[in-house]
Amino acid sequence: GAGVSQSPSNKVTEKGKDVELRCDPISGHTALYWYRQSLGQGLEFLIYFQGNSAPDKSGLPSDRFSAERTGGSVSTLTIQRTQQEDSAVYLCASSSRQKSFQETQYFGPGTRLLVL
Amino acid sequence: AQSVTQPDIHITVSEGASLELRCNYSYGATPYLFWYVQSPGQGLQLLLKYFSGDTLVQGIKGFEAEFKRSQSSFNLRKPSVHWSDAAEYFCAVGLRSGSARQLTFGSGTQLTVLP
């Protein structure tokens, strides 16, 4: 079946603009994650959704970052008033359940964001 | 807080040679351990994972990893590297307790394979 998809694949924006990044998880997956991968860095956790529970926002770097997940499926990560340091690849992952880590996280191809 | 260290930023090996990528973690208990591979323009793909039991874990594409509790390590190995293995490799850990379910990743090791 289809994997995790993300759009757009690339986004170039000007400093100060808002951007929205979209993630379509694997159908039926209840857990959804956003990570950020900056140049030369490992992946940095941003936010986690599990079913109808309140999201874990502990990784969001500032209040300019927010995310929502509508209908327990598609998620949108919004960055307001973008800064150059927001330039990175934003990765989305989903898994079927999160009772334990035995559920593998499947990653999308990412959205490469460049803030000029 | 847990952390993951991949000491080698870049490794170059010849095709057919053996490979070992290092991963060390810092955590108060045994975490869940993972290796992912990221090819250019591709998403992360899980190579293998360790939860418990046999400390030598077999993965896809001929990779294996060994968990060594005494060294807090989870090194990735492959006996004979193929040109298609050129990619970036990430080690990751997950907590065994609490509500947090995110993975903590190392900074990655870029593998170059020479013909």
Side-chain angles (χ1 to χ4, degrees), chain A residues 33 35 37 40-45 48 56 58 89 91 98-110, chain B residues 32 34 36 38 41-44 46 49 51 88 90 93-96 99-108:
Chain A
Y33 302 78
Y35 293 86
Q37 184 177 24
Q41 305 287 319
L43 277 76
E44 171 190 15
F45 165 75
Y48 157 58
D56 176 355
S58 60
V89 177
L91 291 165
Q98 275 298 304
K99 290 187 67 176
S100 78
F101 272 106
Q102 301 209 28
E103 297 303 324
T104 298
Q105 292 185 28
Y106 294 88
F107 284 80
Chain B
Y32 296 110
F34 305 79
Y36 282 85
Q38 186 178 35
Q42 304 291 315
L44 288 162
L46 180 69
K49 56 189 177 184
F51 296 128
E88 189 156 22
F90 292 93
V93 304
L95 295 176
R96 285 184 178 265
S99 61
R101 285 291 179 261
Q102 69 270 24
L103 298 174
T104 298
F105 285 82
S107 55

